[in-house]
């Protein structure tokens, strides 16, 4: 049975936990609107503003005659709650409860930031409670080096303020495609964004590979993620997709664009950071997968609905055709864009990392979805963060095929394409090859594209898929020139990388 029932003991723990929250409400109630964000609990259990960091209640504590006593009671109550959270860790199946605990942690962090910006001293006990809770929720975070710090606060200082950049996780298996992608952005599109290559130990990307890839252009660096996180429990070395959220988290870039190695851009990636209004509004940009297999993954939908049962849906989820109409897969995670300077987004990323930790992914995440794909939006949704999806579901680029039976023309191919806010082609996945699963040497320059149509999915990766009854047409001259130039450069790179790692087992 996938979902299971809440045990009586868990119910007692749950009531005890919110009892601690109610105690703080009694201490700090200011008569203002109680805080409720995207999950539903009864009025007597609603977490109050003052506990979790709204500026007005926190300020009232600091300016009231009994501010020292009130602040002491607040810190003590948070300490009791943090002890409870640490003493009652969640099972790997409790995705929704993890989201609720992260929402509570967010309020504590915001409260500390409000206190820190005031004239009042910052109680050491508050940082201790935040650190205890952070470490219990995210044991993969390295411990702080400085005594007055907490693990998350220490880790956030890795991010260079105001920085924007691209992160590409790759190993030997995808190395060639990563080189093609870098050339596509640097040589063809003249992108100036810094690039950070993430890998999981020397066996994943040996020195010879690292030296070659950093010479493909300026401002390219490499980072061994196993030097940042303890891999003994994460097993990112053998985790495949699992490295992706940890790479986004570990990157020094504050605003990070995470790319699969086989992505190809048709516009400068800078356009997302600089002009995409959805990204600028929420600090996120995610891309939809294709609309496929309606009604065929009922267990997956039951799983989502179970963990979101006590959440108000975000605007993105309210508009989701996958969630609301029973299609199979919501997200294509070939490009994920996040602003980690925004606390709710960072905490959503941490939830996604937790979903991709070894125990959780092996028991749940990769059984209830295909790899990391659904863990991105799901993590943001469960922590109550607003996020932006592209307007359209996955498009196709390929070749126009006339239906000889008198029906409408179709566009058929092997790759999924994605559009910008103006409805222009932005990027596609699958590499510059026609079908890398069939022929690793046959490049392709697509001629047509189609969006908002009906997908006719090939039964296997080697089989072509088609889209009909949509809108689209021929690819523009500039778009074709981007692909043609990228293919020409990729051929040159292939010549140079011949012999690298020769004789190694991949």
């Amino acid at each position: 049975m996938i979902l299971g029932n809440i045990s009586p003991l868990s119910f007692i723990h749950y009531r005890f936990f919110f009892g601690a929250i109610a105690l703080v409400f009694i201490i700090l109630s200011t008569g203002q609107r109680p805080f409720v964000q995207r999950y539903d609990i009864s009025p007597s259990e609603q977490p109050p503003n003052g506990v979790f960091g709204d500026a007005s209640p926190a300020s009232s504590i600091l300016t009231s005659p009994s501010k020292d006593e009130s602040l002491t009671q607040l810190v003590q109550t948070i300490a009791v709650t943090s002890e409870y959270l640490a003493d009652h860790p969640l099972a790997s199946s409790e995705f929704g409860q993890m989201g609720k605990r992260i929402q509570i942690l967010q309020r504590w962090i915001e409260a500390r930031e409000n206190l820190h910006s005031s004239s009042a001293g910052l109680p050491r006990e508050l940082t201790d409670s935040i650190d205890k809770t952070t470490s219990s929720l995210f044991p993969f975070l390295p411990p702080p080096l400085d005594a007055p710090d907490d693990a998350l606060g220490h880790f956030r200082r890795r991010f260079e303020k105001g920085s924007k950049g691209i992160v590409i996780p790759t190993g030997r298996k995808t190395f060639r495609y990563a080189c093609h992608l870098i050339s596509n952005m640097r040589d063809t599109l003249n992108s100036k964004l810094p690039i950070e290559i993430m890998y999981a130990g020397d066996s994943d990307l040996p020195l010879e590979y690292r030296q070659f890839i950093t010479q493909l252009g300026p401002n390219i660096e490499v980072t061994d993620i196993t030097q940042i996180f303890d891999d003994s429990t994460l097993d990112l070395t053998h985790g495949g997709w699992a490295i992706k959220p940890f790479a986004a988290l570990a990157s020094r870039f504050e605003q990070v664009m995470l790319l699969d190695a086989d992505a190809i851009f048709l516009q400068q990636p800078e356009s997302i950071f600089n002009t995409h209004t959805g990204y600028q509004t929420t600090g996120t940009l995610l891309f939809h997968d294709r609309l496929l297999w309606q009604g065929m993954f009922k267990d997956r939908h039951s799983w989502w609905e179970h963990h979101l049962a006590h959440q108000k849906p975000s605007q993105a989820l309210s508009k989701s055709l996958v969630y609301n109409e029973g299609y199979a897969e919501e997200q294509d995670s070939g490009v994920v864009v996040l602003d980690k300077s925004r606390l709710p987004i960072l905490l959503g990323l941490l939830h996604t990392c937790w979903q991709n930790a070894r125990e959780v992914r092996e028991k749940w995440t990769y059984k209830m979805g295909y790899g990391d794909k659904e863990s991105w939006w799901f993590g943001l949704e469960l922590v109550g963060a607003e996020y932006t999806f592209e307007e359209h579901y996955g498009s196709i680029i390929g070749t126009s095929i006339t239906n000889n039976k008198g029906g409408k023309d179709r566009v058929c191919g092997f790759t999924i394409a994605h559009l910008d806010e103006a409805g222009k082609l932005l990027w596609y996945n699958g590499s510059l090859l026609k079908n890398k699963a069939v022929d690793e040497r046959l490049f392709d320059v697509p001629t047509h594209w189609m969006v908002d149509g009906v997908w006719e999915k090939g039964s296997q990766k080697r089989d072509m898929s088609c889209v009909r009854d949509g809108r689209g047409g021929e690819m523009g001259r500039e778009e074709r020139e981007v692909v043609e130039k990228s293919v020409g450069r990729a051929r040159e790179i292939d010549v140079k990388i011949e012999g690298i790692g020769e004789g190694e087992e991949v």
Side-chain angles (χ1 to χ4, degrees):
M1 183 174 179
I2 291 176
L3 303 181
N5 296 314
I6 299 175
S7 68
L9 183 59
S10 297
F11 181 76
I12 293 170
H13 290 166
Y14 187 79
R15 300 296 299 186
F16 175 87
F17 166 66
F18 278 110
I21 300 302
L23 174 60
V24 184
F25 180 76
I26 294 170
I27 295 172
L28 297 178
S29 178
T30 61
Q32 299 186 27
R33 178 184 59 82
F35 175 83
V36 182
Q37 178 170 338
R38 302 262 310 278
Y39 67 92
D40 301 323
I41 51 181
S42 68
S44 64
E45 295 174 333
Q46 289 171 352
N49 291 336
V51 184
F52 301 132
D54 276 14
S56 297
S59 299
S60 69
I61 296 172
L62 300 177
T63 57
S64 65
S66 58
K67 64 181 182 181
D68 290 339
E69 181 180 354
S70 297
L71 181 58
T72 299
Q73 290 176 315
L74 166 66
V75 171
Q76 289 176 346
T77 305
I78 289 177
V80 169
T81 309
S82 69
E83 287 282 354
Y84 171 82
L85 296 177
D87 291 343
H88 299 86
L90 294 172
S92 61
S93 62
E94 298 187 78
F95 284 44
Q97 286 298 315
M98 172 61 77
K100 291 177 175 61
R101 292 189 178 197
I102 292 173
Q103 290 186 44
I104 291 166
L105 175 63
Q106 177 183 336
R107 303 300 165 259
W108 294 351
I109 294 172
E110 289 170 346
R112 181 179 62 178
E113 290 174 352
N114 288 333
L115 291 169
H116 188 69
S117 63
S118 72
S119 58
L122 187 65
R124 171 66 200 174
E125 293 83 356
L126 179 57
T127 294
D128 289 343
S129 296
I130 290 173
D131 185 51
K132 183 184 293 290
T133 302
T134 300
S135 298
S136 68
L137 297 178
F138 315 119
F140 48 80
L141 284 176
L145 299 177
D146 302 321
D149 211 350
D150 67 279
L152 182 56
H154 171 72
F155 201 85
R156 291 173 78 182
R157 273 184 276 283
R158 290 181 50 86
F159 312 150
E160 296 178 8
K161 191 171 181 61
S163 62
K164 303 174 182 177
I166 289 169
V167 173
I168 307 173
T170 192
R172 289 175 294 160
K173 290 182 179 179
T174 58
F175 174 77
R176 178 188 175 212
Y177 305 126
C179 292
H180 292 174
L181 170 58
I182 290 171
S183 176
N184 160 251
M185 294 186 292
R186 280 283 189 269
D187 301 332
T188 303
L189 295 170
N190 198 31
S191 172
K192 305 298 184 185
L193 286 171
I195 297 172
E196 188 172 13
I197 303 297
M198 288 279 184
Y199 66 100
D202 288 341
S203 61
D204 187 36
L205 196 68
L207 178 61
E208 188 178 8
Y209 293 80
R210 305 197 299 267
Q211 290 174 334
F212 182 90
I213 205 167
T214 54
Q215 295 171 6
L216 289 175
N219 215 352
I220 301 172
E221 60 190 86
V222 293
T223 300
D224 181 358
I225 203 166
T226 65
Q227 297 302 306
I228 299 172
F229 302 111
D230 180 2
D231 202 41
S232 62
T233 57
L234 296 176
D235 195 23
L236 300 179
T237 306
H238 307 99
W241 300 295
I243 192 176
K244 293 170 58 179
F246 289 96
L249 178 63
S251 172
R252 65 180 178 87
F253 304 132
E254 191 172 61
Q255 297 185 53
V256 59
M257 187 179 301
L258 180 76
L259 309 182
D260 279 357
D262 65 350
I264 295 295
F265 273 86
L266 297 171
Q267 300 180 40
Q268 276 195 332
E270 283 92 334
S271 64
I272 296 176
F273 285 135
N274 298 337
T275 64
H276 197 288
T277 57
Y279 172 74
Q280 292 171 349
T281 300
T282 66
T284 59
L285 181 59
L286 311 178
F287 292 88
H288 285 299
D289 206 328
R290 302 147 295 179
L291 289 176
L292 292 170
W293 304 307
Q294 189 175 22
M296 294 178 62
F297 286 80
K298 294 181 180 179
D299 282 350
R300 180 180 300 172
H301 277 266
S302 296
W303 167 259
W304 289 341
E305 291 164 6
H306 169 73
H307 291 290
L308 293 170
H310 300 290
Q311 294 256 134
K312 270 189 177 178
S314 67
Q315 292 184 23
L317 192 65
S318 296
K319 296 187 294 185
S320 167
L321 298 180
V322 170
Y323 187 78
N324 295 302
E325 297 184 15
Y327 289 96
E329 295 174 336
E330 184 73 77
Q331 185 172 349
D332 177 351
S333 62
V335 174
V336 176
V337 194
L338 303 170
D339 182 354
K340 297 184 293 184
S341 71
R342 307 191 192 198
L343 182 59
I345 305 307
L346 176 60
L347 293 174
L349 174 58
L350 284 164
H351 196 301
T352 299
C353 287
W354 174 81
Q355 292 179 60
N356 285 270
R358 180 171 58 187
E359 179 184 359
V360 184
R361 71 178 184 252
E362 289 181 354
K363 288 185 177 180
W364 301 103
T365 309
Y366 292 7
K367 291 183 178 180
M368 301 311 302
Y370 187 78
D372 67 296
K373 292 181 5 171
E374 311 303 336
S375 66
W376 296 92
W377 71 265
F378 204 37
L380 291 163
E381 187 74 32
L382 287 168
V383 305
E386 291 292 342
Y387 53 96
T388 299
F389 259 113
E390 69 169 315
E391 180 180 352
H392 302 274
Y393 278 83
S395 312
I396 195 168
I397 59 171
T399 304
S400 178
I401 296 179
T402 300
N403 190 326
N404 295 325
K405 297 180 180 179
K408 294 182 179 180
D409 289 352
R410 300 171 295 161
V411 174
C412 299
F414 298 94
T415 52
I416 308 171
H418 300 278
L419 311 182
D420 65 10
E421 285 184 301
K424 294 182 60 179
L425 290 167
L426 177 61
W427 69 278
Y428 65 92
N429 67 18
S431 83
L432 290 165
L433 301 178
K434 185 171 185 177
N435 184 350
K436 66 179 188 290
V438 173
D439 189 334
E440 295 184 352
R441 294 296 167 184
L442 180 61
F443 289 94
D444 185 48
V445 178
T447 60
H448 290 74
W449 66 283
M450 186 171 284
V451 66
D452 296 339
V454 178
W455 276 83
E456 299 170 346
K457 177 73 171 64
S459 60
Q460 300 180 29
K461 287 186 177 181
R462 63 175 51 251
D463 298 327
M464 185 177 289
S465 296
C466 298
V467 174
R468 59 174 172 81
D469 301 333
R471 65 173 183 84
E474 291 188 31
M475 290 180 64
R477 179 177 58 84
E478 291 183 1
E479 295 161 343
R480 290 198 53 151
E481 287 178 351
V482 167
V483 180
E484 289 170 352
K485 185 175 180 181
S486 298
V487 167
R489 179 66 178 134
R491 294 184 193 275
E492 296 173 3
I493 290 173
D494 284 350
V495 173
K496 293 180 180 179
I497 65 176
E498 286 183 2
I500 293 182
E502 191 171 349
E504 295 179 353
E505 289 187 10
V506 179

